[in-house]
Amino acid sequence: MAKPVELNEVWIDRIIQSINGLEYGTVQIIIHDGRVAQIERTERKRFDNETKRSAAGAEAKLHIERKASDGRG
């Protein structure tokens, strides 16, 4: 039979800290022998389409500027 998980205030605070400020992502709580052994946080950044287009435009502009400064433009 599985052991009940032991959580004290320290681990509860660590879990809350891992969750706070997380907009997109996951928090995994790893348990060994009924005790929290590790907390893993994976954060993702999402950008809307307008931001993607702006970034692509800036990258294309930089590429054009580099070619012009190399004398290939």
Side-chain angles (χ1 to χ4, degrees):
M1 180 176 209
K3 294 180 181 181
V5 176
E6 298 175 18
L7 281 178
N8 60 29
E9 288 297 317
V10 172
W11 282 110
I12 292 171
D13 288 343
R14 289 175 179 169
I15 292 167
I16 291 170
Q17 287 175 5
S18 295
I19 295 169
N20 279 339
L22 186 64
E23 190 172 358
Y24 297 101
T26 60
V27 174
Q28 290 184 333
I29 303 165
I30 312 301
I31 308 294
H32 288 280
D33 292 327
R35 294 184 178 181
V36 176
Q38 183 174 327
I39 300 171
E40 296 179 4
R41 174 180 162 143
T42 303
E43 188 169 359
R44 308 227 185 269
K45 298 289 185 183
R46 294 194 177 179
F47 306 97
D48 61 20
N49 287 337
E50 187 62 36
T51 304
K52 288 179 185 175
R53 275 189 244 127
S54 297
E59 187 175 321
K61 181 179 176 184
L62 180 60
H63 181 69
I64 291 168
E65 289 173 353
R66 282 183 182 160
K67 285 176 69 175
S69 67
D70 289 346
R72 295 182 289 162

